[in-house]
C-alpha cells in the first residue's frame, strides 16, 4: 500500500546475498578481461594471411561454431583440470567464443595493410603493431564485445549450477534460482532476523532487480562504442 525499501534493506543484511553478489562482480570483471584478452590475441594472428597454419586453425574455429560437445565433455574437462568448485570454472569453459572471435578477426582484417607496413618500416615488431596500431583503432569493437562478454558472464546460470557445489561460491544467478524456486525465500537466503520479515514476494522481486540493475547501469557508458562497433566495419585511416 505504501512505498518501502525494506525488502532491499533485508536482502542486503544477509551475508549469503552480499557474498553471492560480490562473487558475481569479481567473476564478471576478471572473466571479461580474460575472455577479451584471449579472443583478441587469437583473432589478430588469424587475421594475418601470412601466418603459417592459418587455414587449418580457421577450419577448427568454424567447426567449433557449428558443432558443440554438449554438457558432459566440458564438465569432464573442468573436472580433469581440478577446477570444480573454483571460480575459474565460471570463466575458462567459455573463454573464447568462436563467433565473436571471427567477427573481431574480420575487423582486424579490414584494417589497411599499409598501416602495418609503415609501422614495421619505423622499427615496430609484430607485437608493437598490434599494441600501438590495431588495438587503438579497435576501441568500438572491443567495447562492444566487452559488453557481450560481461552480460554473458553476469547472466550465466548453467556454469554455476554444473561446476559449483559450494554454496558460498554461488554466483547471483544460482542464488536467484534457489530463492525463486524455494518454498521460503527467507530460508533460501539464510535470513535469521525474527524482528521484521518483508513479504516473501517482495524479497524475490528485490533480488531480481538487484541482479538485473548493474548491467542496465553499465550499458549507457558503452552505448556510443556499442553502436559504432555493431554498425561500422571499416577503418578510419
Amino acid at each position: 500500500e505504501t512505498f518501502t525499501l525494506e525488502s532491499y534493506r533485508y536482502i542486503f543484511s544477509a551475508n549469503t546475498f552480499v557474498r553471492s553478489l560480490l562473487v558475481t562482480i569479481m567473476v564478471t570483471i576478471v572473466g571479461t578481461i580474460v575472455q577479451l584478452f584471449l579472443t583478441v590475441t587469437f583473432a589478430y594472428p588469424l587475421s594475418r594471411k601470412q601466418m603459417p597454419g592459418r587455414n587449418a586453425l580457421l577450419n577448427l574455429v568454424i567447426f567449433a561454431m557449428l558443432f558443440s560437445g554438449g554438457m558432459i565433455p566440458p564438465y569432464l574437462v573442468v573436472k580433469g583440470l581440478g577446477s570444480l568448485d573454483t571460480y575459474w570454472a565460471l570463466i575458462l569453459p567459455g573463454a573464447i567464443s568462436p563467433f565473436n572471435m571471427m567477427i573481431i578477426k574480420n575487423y582486424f582484417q579490414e584494417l589497411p595493410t599499409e598501416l602495418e607496413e609503415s609501422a614495421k618500416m619505423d622499427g615496430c615488431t609484430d607485437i608493437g603493431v598490434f599494441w600501438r596500431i590495431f588495438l587503438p583503432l579497435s576501441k568500438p569493437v572491443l567495447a562492444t564485445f566487452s559488453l557481450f562478454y560481461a552480460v554473458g558472464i553476469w547472466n550465466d546460470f548453467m556454469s554455476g549450477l554444473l561446476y559449483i557445489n559450494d554454496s558460498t561460491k554461488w554466483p547471483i544467478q544460482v542464488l536467484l534460482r534457489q530463492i525463486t524456486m524455494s518454498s521460503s525465500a527467507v530460508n533460501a537466503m539464510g535470513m535469521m532476523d525474527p524482528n521484521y520479515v518483508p513479504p516473501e514476494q517482495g524479497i524475490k522481486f528485490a533480488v531480481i532487480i538487484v541482479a538485473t540493475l548493474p548491467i542496465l547501469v553499465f550499458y549507457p557508458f558503452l552505448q556510443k562504442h556499442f553502436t559504432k562497433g555493431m554498425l561500422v566495419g571499416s577503418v578510419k585511416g
Side-chain angles (χ1 to χ4, degrees):
E1 296 177 357
T2 59
F3 178 79
T4 177
L5 297 176
E6 283 302 312
S7 293
Y8 293 97
R9 183 193 66 79
Y10 195 75
I11 63 174
F12 277 107
S13 69
N15 292 332
T16 303
F17 177 79
V18 174
R19 183 174 57 241
S20 181
L21 186 61
L22 292 176
V23 165
T24 304
I25 292 172
M26 182 271 294
V27 169
T28 300
I29 293 173
V30 176
T32 301
I33 294 171
V34 169
Q35 293 185 0
L36 192 65
F37 173 79
L38 293 177
T39 303
V40 169
T41 52
F42 189 28
Y44 177 71
L46 290 181
S47 68
R48 306 297 91 191
K49 294 182 179 179
Q50 67 272 21
M51 174 186 163
R54 175 177 178 268
N55 291 336
L57 285 173
L58 282 175
N59 288 333
L60 289 175
V61 171
I62 294 171
F63 183 86
M65 287 175 57
L66 299 177
F67 301 98
S68 169
M71 188 183 299
I72 296 176
Y75 179 84
L76 295 177
V77 171
V78 171
K79 183 179 179 181
L81 293 173
S83 297
L84 289 179
D85 270 339
T86 68
Y87 297 127
W88 289 112
L90 303 175
I91 297 172
L92 295 181
I96 297 179
S97 164
F99 180 76
N100 293 347
M101 195 281 298
M102 290 295 289
I103 294 178
I104 296 176
K105 177 198 78 76
N106 291 337
Y107 188 92
F108 284 144
Q109 208 165 294
E110 290 175 359
L111 294 174
T113 55
E114 291 79 10
L115 292 174
E116 181 180 1
E117 293 169 359
S118 61
K120 287 188 174 180
M121 287 178 64
D122 290 335
C124 245
T125 62
D126 288 325
I127 295 177
V129 172
F130 170 67
W131 183 257
R132 295 173 180 270
I133 305 296
F134 282 79
L135 280 187
L137 290 172
S138 305
K139 287 180 182 178
V141 76
L142 295 181
T144 300
F145 287 101
S146 294
L147 182 64
F148 283 169
Y149 278 133
V151 172
I153 297 172
W154 185 277
N155 292 331
D156 185 16
F157 161 71
M158 286 303 297
S159 295
L161 188 66
L162 290 174
Y163 307 134
I164 306 296
N165 297 316
D166 185 355
S167 60
T168 63
K169 296 180 179 178
W170 277 349
I172 190 70
Q173 303 302 337
V174 177
L175 181 65
L176 178 60
R177 172 192 179 263
Q178 294 299 111
I179 293 172
T180 54
M181 294 191 66
S182 172
S183 59
S184 173
V186 176
N187 292 336
M189 294 188 67
M191 302 288 194
M192 302 301 293
D193 184 2
N195 298 323
Y196 176 73
V197 179
E200 184 174 326
Q201 202 71 1
I203 295 175
K204 292 181 179 180
F205 288 146
V207 174
I208 291 172
I209 291 297
V210 173
T212 307
L213 196 59
I215 293 298
L216 297 179
V217 172
F218 184 61
Y219 174 76
F221 294 100
L222 291 177
Q223 184 176 9
K224 178 180 71 172
H225 294 299
F226 178 81
T227 306
K228 250 167 128 188
M230 291 302 292
L231 300 180
V232 178
S234 59
V235 182
K236 301 166 257 182

